[in-house]
Amino acid sequence: MSRTFTVIRREFTEMVRTKAFLIGTILGPVIMVGFFALQIVLAQSGGGERQVVVVDATGQGLGERVAAALESRSGAESRTQFTTEVLVLGDEDPETLRAGFQERIEADSLDGYLWLPAGAVDGETVVYEGKNATNIGELERIRGAVQVAVQGTRLSAAGIDAARVAEALRPVPFDARKTGAQAASGTPIALYILTYILGFAVYMVVILYGNAVMRGVLEEKRDRVVEVVVSSIRATQLMAGKVIGIGAAGLVQIAIWIGFAAAVLMKGEAIAARFGTAMPELPAVPLSVGLIFGFFFLAGFFLYAGMYAAMGAIATTDQEAQQLQFPVIMLLLPGIMMMTPVLNDPDGAIAVAGSLIPFTAPIVMPMRAVVTGIPPLQLTGSILIVVLTMLVLLWTSAKIYRIGILSTGKRASLGEVWRWLRTA
């Protein structure tokens, strides 16, 4: 154990002293804060004033109603303010009018025009053409204004007070919150973000530090340093020390990020106020969710790190190593792809299967724990399956590692790897 600990200490020290580690530790939190700040800035940007011509061919005053609805709705619901110009269609040639509107649009004196055909109230298609026709939010507001105006016209024609109907159909404020003692509680968007963060954290750590393990093995093998090292330590001890040492460095970096995030959240209201917005409500996370995440986070890293070490022992060049890691990444991706099914139905067949398959469980099980209480039998079964798979893979990887680190020249074939596994 003392020799293994020596390797752990060496790998940990070498990792934390690298420029990449220091830069990542410092810039990681800065990038995260910058990313969220950029989202706020982008959300507040855009909008402005939109000049729209409403062409009314109905002869029922529908254009004035559309213009009034559009101008009244825009200020409250978005940063875009619509300014309208109503044109009642008489004897003018429609094509000539359209050509004139197109010229104004190209000259940037008009954003678009809304054409209300004679049969708009009876269901004839209303057409909008403009340079902002790719803005879904603005199009939805134009569509909503037309809908309100047409419905009001229809109600008036039927002798019904449109204002009283609108008051009766006024939307009811609605708020949804997830509750439960065993799972996290809070707003749906907060739980979605938390679920995404936990799943993505496992994925990124496995990719980043699994790659670090693979590169470390490949460099020692390529530089022939390992031939000297294995003369005084068993290959399995060397692999275990490398995996644990690099993994410990990764945990230290993540702990620093978490500490920084906690400090920022304590000042979250003040920071959000500087950007002219409010701090989103954070979910309440019970200790059980944290423990589940911690276990599967570590188990997932060691499960995949062993495979990365074996890939590094098989490869002889960086290009071969990149090719060999592709199958490992493909084992991880289904876990991320299961995020939506897990959120929609955390006790469904896909979520349960994902939490029991050892290669996706490190990602899926913490995500499930956020939104639902995990039955004890499923949790115990998942833990046993992941642990047994991890031990088998580490044992298998150690056998490949023991022979592969001393093999040079061309990359080993599948047949050769199989012979390594059969070697005592």
Side-chain angles (χ1 to χ4, degrees):
M1 288 297 296
S2 61
R3 294 178 178 177
T4 303
F5 180 76
T6 300
V7 176
I8 294 174
R9 183 173 58 187
R10 173 187 175 275
E11 294 294 336
F12 177 83
T13 304
E14 290 294 325
M15 176 61 70
V16 298
R17 286 180 176 177
T18 60
K19 292 182 179 180
F21 182 89
L22 295 176
I23 293 174
T25 302
I26 296 172
L27 292 184
V30 176
I31 292 174
M32 286 187 289
V33 172
F35 175 78
F36 286 109
L38 179 62
Q39 295 300 308
I40 295 174
V41 171
L42 292 177
Q44 294 179 339
S45 64
E49 185 175 333
R50 300 287 184 265
Q51 179 71 32
V52 175
V53 173
V54 179
V55 182
D56 185 2
T58 63
Q60 302 179 49
L62 184 63
E64 294 291 344
R65 289 190 174 187
V66 171
L70 186 59
E71 293 183 0
S72 64
R73 288 164 60 89
S74 61
E77 298 184 9
S78 74
R79 297 176 60 84
T80 301
Q81 180 64 47
F82 284 96
T83 301
T84 59
E85 172 189 341
V86 179
L87 174 63
V88 178
L89 186 64
D91 298 330
E92 297 91 343
D93 179 43
E95 294 304 321
T96 303
L97 284 176
R98 287 190 173 95
F101 294 147
Q102 291 292 344
E103 291 179 359
R104 291 177 60 185
I105 291 173
E106 293 176 3
D108 288 332
S109 63
L110 183 67
D111 291 292
Y113 64 93
L114 181 68
W115 198 280
L116 305 175
V121 176
D122 298 323
E124 191 173 345
T125 302
V126 175
V127 178
Y128 175 80
E129 295 189 28
K131 61 183 179 182
N132 61 332
T134 56
N135 189 315
I136 303 301
E138 293 183 8
L139 289 181
E140 180 60 25
R141 281 160 178 75
I142 294 173
R143 187 206 62 80
V146 173
Q147 186 77 13
V148 168
V150 169
Q151 289 176 344
T153 302
R154 290 171 179 172
L155 290 171
S156 298
I160 301 174
D161 188 349
R164 295 182 63 182
V165 173
E167 177 62 23
L169 297 178
R170 179 163 47 89
V172 178
F174 179 79
D175 187 21
R177 294 178 180 272
K178 172 71 177 62
T179 61
Q182 294 181 328
S185 58
T187 61
I189 185 62
L191 294 180
Y192 176 85
I193 294 174
L194 177 60
T195 301
Y196 180 83
I197 289 175
L198 295 187
F200 198 67
V202 176
Y203 177 81
M204 289 303 299
V205 166
V206 169
I207 294 294
L208 293 177
Y209 289 97
N211 263 287
V213 171
M214 183 176 66
R215 287 197 306 269
V217 172
L218 182 58
E219 288 174 3
E220 290 183 350
K221 175 181 175 180
R222 188 168 49 200
D223 297 338
R224 311 300 289 268
V225 176
V226 70
E227 297 179 6
V228 179
V229 176
V230 295
S231 63
S232 59
I233 186 175
R234 295 175 59 186
T236 53
Q237 293 176 313
L238 179 60
M239 188 192 82
K242 185 175 291 292
V243 170
I244 296 173
I246 294 177
L251 292 177
V252 168
Q253 189 175 65
I254 291 172
I256 294 173
W257 290 352
I258 293 174
F260 180 86
V264 170
L265 290 176
M266 291 178 63
K267 301 291 185 180
E269 292 293 344
I271 296 174
R274 287 183 176 272
F275 288 97
T277 186
M279 182 72 178
E281 183 179 343
L282 301 177
V285 183
L287 179 61
S288 59
V289 175
L291 294 176
I292 290 174
F293 171 74
F295 171 80
F296 283 95
F297 180 87
L298 292 174
F301 170 76
F302 287 115
L303 187 150
Y304 280 96
M307 288 191 283
Y308 271 104
M311 297 301 102
I314 294 173
T316 58
T317 65
D318 290 330
Q319 183 178 4
E320 291 178 357
Q322 294 300 320
Q323 294 172 349
L324 287 171
Q325 73 168 328
F326 181 73
V328 179
I329 296 176
M330 292 306 296
L331 292 174
L332 271 172
L333 284 178
I336 295 294
M337 296 169 63
M338 291 180 183
M339 180 177 296
T340 300
V342 168
L343 286 170
N344 291 338
D345 190 4
D347 294 317
I350 294 178
V352 173
S355 61
L356 294 177
I357 297 173
F359 301 107
T360 57
I363 295 177
V364 175
M365 185 58 83
M367 292 195 299
R368 281 190 68 197
V370 170
V371 292
T372 189
I374 308 297
L377 184 60
Q378 291 183 16
L379 180 60
T380 303
S382 180
I383 290 174
L384 291 176
I385 291 172
V386 170
V387 169
L388 289 175
T389 305
M390 179 182 66
L391 293 176
V392 170
L393 284 175
L394 288 175
W395 175 80
T396 303
S397 298
K399 297 195 72 173
I400 296 174
Y401 182 86
R402 180 170 60 88
I403 300 176
I405 55 175
L406 299 176
S407 300
T408 58
K410 66 181 184 68
R411 188 181 73 187
S413 63
L414 289 176
E416 290 174 317
V417 173
W418 176 247
R419 286 195 295 270
W420 294 352
L421 292 174
R422 295 178 59 187
T423 302

